[in-house]
Amino acid sequence: MLSELELKSLKGLSDKDVAERLERYGCNELPSSKKKGIIHIILEVLHEPMFMLLVACGAIYLLLGDVREAALLLGFVFVIMGITIYQENKTENALEALRDLSSPRALVIRNGEQKRIAGREVVLDDIFIVREGDKIPADGTLLWSMNLAADESLLTGESVPVRKCPSDKLETVISRPGGDDLPFLYSGSMITCGQGVAKVTSVGISTQIGKIGKALQSIKEEDTTLKKETGRLVKKIFVLAIALCFLVVCLYGFTRGEWLKGVLAGITLAMALLPEEFPVVLTIFLALGAWRMSKKNVLTRRVAAIETLGAATVLCSDKTGTLTQNKMSIKKLFNCSDFHEWSVKAEELPEEFHSLVEYGILASKKDPFDPMEKALAELGYKTLINTEHIHEDWPLVEEYALSKELLALSHVWKIPGKKDYVVSAKGAPEAVFDLCHLRADEIQKYSEKINLMASEGLRILGVAASNFDGEKLPSSQHDFEFKFMGLIGWADPVRETVPAAIGECKTAGIRVAMITGDYSATAQNIARQIGLENPEEVITGPELEKLEPSALAERVKRTNIFARVVPEQKLLIVNALKANGETVAMTGDGVNDAPALKAAHIGVAMGERGTDVARESSSLVLLDDDFTSIVAAVKMGRRVFDNLKKAMAYIISVHVPIAGISLLPIIVGWPVVLYPVHVVFLELIIDPACSIIFEAEEAEDNIMERKPRDPSEPLFGKRMFMLSLLQGACSLLAVAGIFAYSLKSGGGEPEARTLAFITLVISNLGIILVNRSWTKNIFASMKVKNPAIAWVVSGTLFFLGLVIYVPSLRDVFHFAFMHANDILLALSLGVVSVAWFEIIKFISHIRHVELLKD
């Protein structure tokens, strides 16, 4: 600990020392994730099996000379790449905007002079100065301080600042965030009052922040259920498609001797079977889902998390700054006889509490930075501004600082025009009792009031007042004759929107758990305010340390409050929940949340107050730090998955008639019905557009009244798969029927092909319309606005008309000119082929059966 003389003689490091340390240890900054380049993104896209199949199909078309079809197919791959690159850049740019414009500035002593530099330039052994409002640039040890306090909620989760003071026995003091009267400062913490001089002991990755960052490197992210399932499905369909393609080529070659037609028919069948739309739908749904979530102030870092979010069963939330505002406000006043509950919405303060607030303000700074003093000043200027209790013209003549020996401070004020002084003190109630020389019975009486306030999770300070008319101020606070004025209790208020959000989570079957570094009583009080279930059950950090993994997994099944928890324990809690089969979403803003954010199935970081480490570790970022945004994100996740199932069901349905009508000619000896150009028409015009339709569909009315879906629930459940096959089979029956009828009635091959294609297109559109909602009938769903429908339907009919009535296009598609009665017949069959599904929905509605649930 330095004396005043030694403090003035500090020289700090020389330029040579700084250069050596920069060379040896690097800059004082945490490594951030590198932004993905365009080449890297393209390689990631092409690495997906379905995209490789698309490229392979396009290459085959080029070898066969079908340039137009190849260009369309390969062009579609580039469109998807463009969407992916755009979304990736949009996300990374938004995250970059969230970062601080530069590292915090630091005031250091170098070459005997004070110098302000960028925080990243601070090196080991630097001497730095901190004052009220400064952000600490690196971990360090105090050499000297005066009334210094720091907000370490970034690392501990506790919103109350902690006192800091130097120590002569560093070897006996354990360096850890949190706790009063320790000599250690930590990077990223904020000085709330006082000033100090410290020596840097750790920089960059070696700081407490950096150590937590190291823990993230050992945590591997898991693929989502959807990604795993579609990967398995793609492989199975690929094998089936190759086998059938080979079979068709052989059948055509050996039975008809038409090897070229056999190759074309085989490729057509393979294209009909290969659901190229799957990666398109996934990309579009997740990319647009991310865009829609950004409109609700939720930034998506990893789009796959959108799908997982809808399955979340447990939401683990930090308390400070997430459920609460991380802004201390006065909650309760005690004036030695009565209590008064204060609300920020109140306008008046009872007269009998005016003096208590007056002397509390006099014991604070005029322009406070400390959150507790700020709250006191706000109360005073709101209720006492026009009274004799506000003294803006009084000069401060002396300040008695808080110390380890006496946890109270005093301010001496000069009354203008008089010789008298007014003295005000505030601090820990026990210290104020000592200043007031209270009797044992008085201390017992007031201690009961303190315990009552503490049970409500309040931070309590005592206030005392004195007068002095001597010539020379005493050297100690104890020399004043203080009168005890009362107690003031502060609380970190709950965000106003949180209780409603918690209620909505309950309705949606999502359990909310609070994980905090704060005390049990405070956490329980907050839990009751927000409506958290089972607030009596608490697991503290020390208890958690003693629990075996199996015992912890059992306890977390019924516990929703975890208090006095350190970062490593947060990770243990998340893993215990995952071991129980829960799908875990974790919200947080501090560095201490980062490992748990990354380990959770969905990590949700706070964007405004959140640290870079937390954001880099998360899947989602709440741009407004509003807890209700996570509920909106859950709803969006469920909506995306619902609509994704509808789109996938449609894709399966439409591929059944396409594949069937490609295979039937081989089985029954018909001429070729569909050529590759027909399949390309269906895939490149109707299918992607339909993906946009389903993506834009509003959520089902009961979407937030369902229980979270089982994470192991397959995207293609038996019920959905059978309904999709049935839809496709009915469409195939109509298409095959009209083709056979046309041939039998004397129509030529082009006429039959044209009628079959029209029926297939109309049936396709019908499947889209009936699948928009699996709970509402087609007429009710048409009342829900979806601008894409008009564009898709009109655009499809327009292009269908072109390929039928424009001679050059008609020749390319091997079609014949159609009369009105022929088109009417095809339209009727297409509508009838899907109408039965409306009956299924009607019966399900009566029986209250959820079609989307398997």
Side-chain angles (χ1 to χ4, degrees):
M1 186 163 55
L2 295 177
S3 65
E4 292 287 340
L5 182 62
E6 290 172 320
L7 188 65
K8 292 178 181 178
S9 63
L10 281 176
K11 297 295 182 182
L13 298 177
S14 66
D15 292 339
K16 181 182 178 181
D17 294 332
V18 171
E20 288 177 352
R21 284 163 173 76
L22 279 174
E23 178 69 25
R24 184 174 180 182
Y25 300 106
C27 292
N28 176 38
E29 59 187 357
L30 297 180
S32 59
S33 60
K34 294 182 179 179
K35 190 174 180 180
K36 293 180 181 178
I38 293 178
I39 300 299
H40 181 73
I41 297 172
I42 291 174
L43 290 176
E44 279 190 346
V45 172
L46 291 177
H47 186 262
E48 294 294 326
M50 282 308 303
F51 285 101
M52 288 192 286
L53 289 175
L54 284 173
V55 173
C57 287
I60 292 172
Y61 275 112
L62 285 175
L63 291 174
L64 294 174
D66 295 322
V67 179
R68 286 173 297 185
E69 290 84 350
L72 288 173
L73 201 58
L74 293 174
F76 200 43
V77 173
F78 291 115
V79 169
I80 297 168
M81 284 183 185
I83 293 173
T84 306
I85 292 169
Y86 171 77
Q87 178 60 31
E88 192 76 33
N89 285 333
K90 181 181 177 183
T91 299
E92 291 298 334
N93 290 339
L95 281 170
E96 196 67 29
L98 283 173
R99 295 180 185 273
D100 293 332
L101 294 177
S102 62
S103 56
R105 306 288 288 174
L107 183 61
V108 297
I109 299 176
R110 289 181 179 174
N111 301 309
E113 297 180 356
Q114 293 187 16
K115 182 180 181 182
R116 191 166 290 279
I117 62 173
R120 67 187 302 273
E121 297 174 9
V122 171
V123 298
L124 199 66
D125 298 327
D126 248 332
I127 304 297
F128 65 94
I129 301 169
V130 288
R131 299 188 180 99
E132 184 177 291
D134 287 347
K135 197 172 183 180
I136 300 172
D139 287 7
T141 303
L142 270 176
L143 303 176
W144 172 87
S145 71
M146 177 180 288
N147 198 27
L148 190 69
D151 177 1
E152 294 181 349
S153 61
L154 188 73
L155 291 163
T156 64
E158 296 182 37
S159 55
V160 178
V162 292
R163 298 185 303 275
K164 296 291 179 180
C165 62
S167 174
D168 292 324
K169 300 178 180 179
L170 290 177
E171 64 277 2
T172 63
V173 185
I174 299 175
S175 176
R176 57 177 176 78
D180 290 317
D181 301 323
L182 294 175
F184 306 108
L185 302 180
Y186 299 99
S187 177
S189 300
M190 183 74 73
I191 301 299
T192 58
C193 70
Q195 53 187 312
V197 177
K199 183 178 181 179
V200 174
T201 55
S202 300
V203 295
I205 199 70
S206 298
T207 62
Q208 284 292 324
I209 288 179
K211 289 176 183 177
I212 294 175
K214 287 180 183 177
L216 305 179
Q217 299 173 0
S218 61
I219 302 173
K220 295 183 179 180
E221 296 174 35
E222 302 174 5
D223 285 341
T224 65
T225 304
L226 179 59
K227 188 172 182 179
K228 293 175 183 176
E229 186 179 351
T230 52
R232 288 193 298 267
L233 184 65
V234 163
K235 291 176 183 177
K236 291 177 182 178
I237 295 177
F238 173 74
V239 173
L240 177 63
I242 295 300
L244 288 178
C245 178
F246 180 75
L247 179 62
V248 168
V249 172
C250 291
L251 284 174
Y252 259 91
F254 290 117
T255 60
R256 303 186 185 185
E258 299 175 342
W259 290 98
L260 182 57
K261 280 193 175 183
V263 171
L264 290 174
I267 292 175
T268 303
L269 179 60
M271 287 187 61
L273 284 172
L274 292 175
E276 294 95 319
E277 303 86 1
F278 279 3
V280 177
V281 167
L282 283 173
T283 301
I284 290 177
F285 268 60
L286 296 180
L288 291 182
W291 173 75
R292 292 185 189 281
M293 289 179 75
S294 70
K295 297 297 183 181
K296 298 181 182 295
N297 293 315
V298 180
L299 179 67
T300 306
R301 271 190 56 80
R302 298 173 181 87
V303 291
I306 298 173
E307 172 255 331
T308 312
L309 190 60
T313 58
V314 178
L315 173 56
C316 296
S317 174
D318 188 24
K319 176 183 72 69
T320 306
T322 306
L323 298 174
T324 66
Q325 300 176 19
N326 196 28
K327 177 185 177 183
M328 301 301 288
S329 66
I330 293 175
K331 185 75 174 178
K332 205 164 195 173
L333 302 169
F334 176 70
N335 65 354
C336 298
S337 58
D338 299 312
F339 281 110
H340 176 71
E341 295 279 350
W342 173 255
S343 169
V344 292
K345 295 180 180 179
E347 296 294 333
E348 296 182 358
L349 181 70
E351 177 69 31
E352 54 268 29
F353 293 91
H354 284 194
S355 294
L356 173 63
V357 174
E358 173 188 5
Y359 285 98
I361 293 173
L362 287 173
S364 306
K365 292 186 179 296
K366 278 193 172 183
D367 186 18
F369 185 83
D370 181 88
M372 296 173 70
E373 291 189 352
K374 272 187 172 182
L376 188 57
E378 288 172 4
L379 170 60
Y381 285 99
K382 183 176 184 179
T383 60
L384 307 179
I385 191 63
N386 295 318
T387 70
E388 72 279 9
H389 298 288
I390 296 295
H391 311 286
E392 292 183 330
D393 59 334
W394 286 13
L396 178 66
V397 294
E398 186 64 54
E399 180 177 357
Y400 294 88
L402 179 146
S403 66
K404 284 193 293 184
E405 291 74 26
L406 183 65
L407 299 179
L409 59 85
S410 298
H411 286 176
V412 181
W413 303 86
K414 184 72 170 65
I415 302 176
K418 295 183 180 182
K419 294 183 178 180
D420 296 345
Y421 298 90
V422 170
V423 187
S424 181
K426 69 176 172 62
E430 295 81 6
V432 176
F433 292 165
D434 185 23
L435 285 176
C436 297
H437 306 292
L438 295 182
R439 301 188 309 271
D441 61 322
E442 291 177 314
I443 293 174
Q444 175 65 29
K445 180 179 69 172
Y446 293 140
S447 293
E448 292 176 359
K449 308 301 181 183
I450 292 170
N451 292 334
L452 182 63
M453 295 174 73
S455 67
E456 299 177 14
L458 302 181
R459 170 78 167 179
I460 307 159
L461 292 182
V463 177
S466 179
N467 291 297
F468 183 76
D469 56 5
E471 294 293 330
K472 184 178 180 182
L473 292 172
S475 59
S476 171
Q477 301 179 68
H478 276 289
D479 295 329
F480 294 108
E481 295 183 4
F482 281 105
K483 175 186 176 183
F484 184 61
M485 301 299 295
L487 303 167
I488 302 176
W490 284 262
D492 186 1
V494 168
R495 289 179 179 268
E496 294 181 1
T497 55
V498 167
I502 296 290
E504 198 164 357
C505 286
K506 287 180 185 177
T507 304
I510 301 170
R511 176 181 153 208
V512 179
M514 181 198 303
I515 305 178
T516 177
D518 219 331
Y519 293 94
S520 298
T522 305
Q524 287 179 297
N525 182 265
I526 294 295
R528 292 186 181 97
Q529 290 183 54
I530 63 178
L532 209 61
E533 293 181 329
N534 196 20
E536 293 77 23
E537 185 79 24
V538 181
I539 297 178
T540 64
E543 287 180 81
L544 195 149
E545 286 180 356
K546 301 174 184 177
L547 292 174
E548 294 293 328
S550 58
L552 177 60
E554 186 62 32
R555 287 285 301 277
V556 299
K557 291 179 180 178
R558 59 182 184 276
T559 303
N560 293 326
I561 302 175
F562 301 87
R564 303 303 290 166
V565 170
V566 297
E568 297 79 13
Q569 294 168 338
K570 290 188 175 189
L571 185 59
L572 290 174
I573 294 167
V574 170
N575 287 336
L577 289 167
K578 290 170 68 176
N580 287 337
E582 305 281 7
T583 301
V584 184
M586 165 78 183
T587 66
D589 56 3
V591 175
N592 57 329
D593 297 320
L597 284 172
K598 191 169 183 180
H601 294 98
I602 313 108
V604 186
M606 299 297 155
E608 288 184 349
R609 188 175 179 271
T611 61
D612 285 347
V613 175
R615 288 194 291 268
E616 293 289 346
S617 306
S618 65
S619 304
L620 305 174
V621 179
L622 302 185
L623 298 179
D624 57 359
D625 287 10
D626 190 342
F627 188 81
T628 56
S629 296
I630 191 63
V631 181
V634 169
K635 184 176 181 180
M636 181 62 68
R638 292 187 175 192
R639 167 187 164 179
V640 167
F641 192 76
D642 264 13
N643 290 342
L644 190 58
K645 291 183 77 170
K646 295 173 186 176
M648 294 298 190
Y650 159 74
I651 292 170
I652 293 171
S653 298
V654 79
H655 274 272
V656 170
I658 296 174
I661 207 67
S662 300
L663 193 60
L664 270 177
I666 305 169
I667 298 173
V668 300
W670 286 347
V672 175
V673 182
L674 296 180
Y675 286 99
V677 68
H678 301 124
V679 180
V680 171
F681 178 94
L682 291 168
E683 291 175 347
L684 298 186
I685 296 180
I686 298 178
D687 296 347
C690 294
S691 301
I692 296 172
I693 284 181
F694 289 119
E695 191 283 327
E697 283 299 320
E698 292 295 327
E700 300 281 359
D701 294 337
N702 66 341
I703 198 165
M704 288 302 283
E705 296 172 7
R706 309 175 194 162
K707 292 181 180 180
R709 64 179 180 82
D710 187 344
S712 61
E713 173 193 334
L715 180 64
F716 303 98
K718 291 181 180 179
R719 182 186 300 175
M720 189 189 95
F721 194 70
M722 293 306 297
L723 283 173
S724 300
L725 287 180
L726 189 56
Q727 284 182 339
C730 291
S731 178
L732 173 60
L733 186 62
V735 174
I738 199 169
F739 186 81
Y741 169 78
S742 180
L743 287 178
K744 190 175 181 180
S745 61
E749 181 183 325
E751 288 81 359
R753 181 179 297 110
T754 310
L755 284 172
F757 190 76
I758 294 173
T759 304
L760 180 58
V761 170
I762 299 303
S763 177
N764 191 339
L765 293 176
I767 293 173
I768 294 169
L769 296 177
V770 298
N771 280 290
R772 283 187 60 201
S773 172
W774 284 24
T775 58
K776 300 175 184 176
N777 61 52
I778 191 170
F779 301 107
S781 61
M782 289 300 289
K783 294 178 182 178
V784 180
K785 291 182 179 179
N786 190 336
I789 292 175
W791 286 101
V792 169
V793 174
S794 59
T796 301
L797 295 177
F798 173 74
F799 285 109
L800 182 61
L802 288 180
V803 299
I804 293 173
Y805 293 109
V806 174
S808 58
L809 291 176
R810 189 164 63 230
D811 293 340
V812 171
F813 278 78
H814 309 280
F815 283 165
F817 181 85
M818 286 285 102
H819 298 287
N821 58 337
D822 297 324
I823 293 178
L824 185 60
L825 176 62
L827 286 172
S828 301
L829 272 176
V831 171
V832 170
S833 69
V834 296
W836 61 271
F837 190 63
E838 288 298 310
I839 301 173
I840 297 292
K841 284 197 287 185
F842 178 73
I843 296 173
S844 298
H845 178 71
I846 294 176
R847 296 181 178 178
H848 302 286
V849 176
E850 177 61 64
L851 288 176
L852 280 170
K853 184 177 180 181
D854 286 292

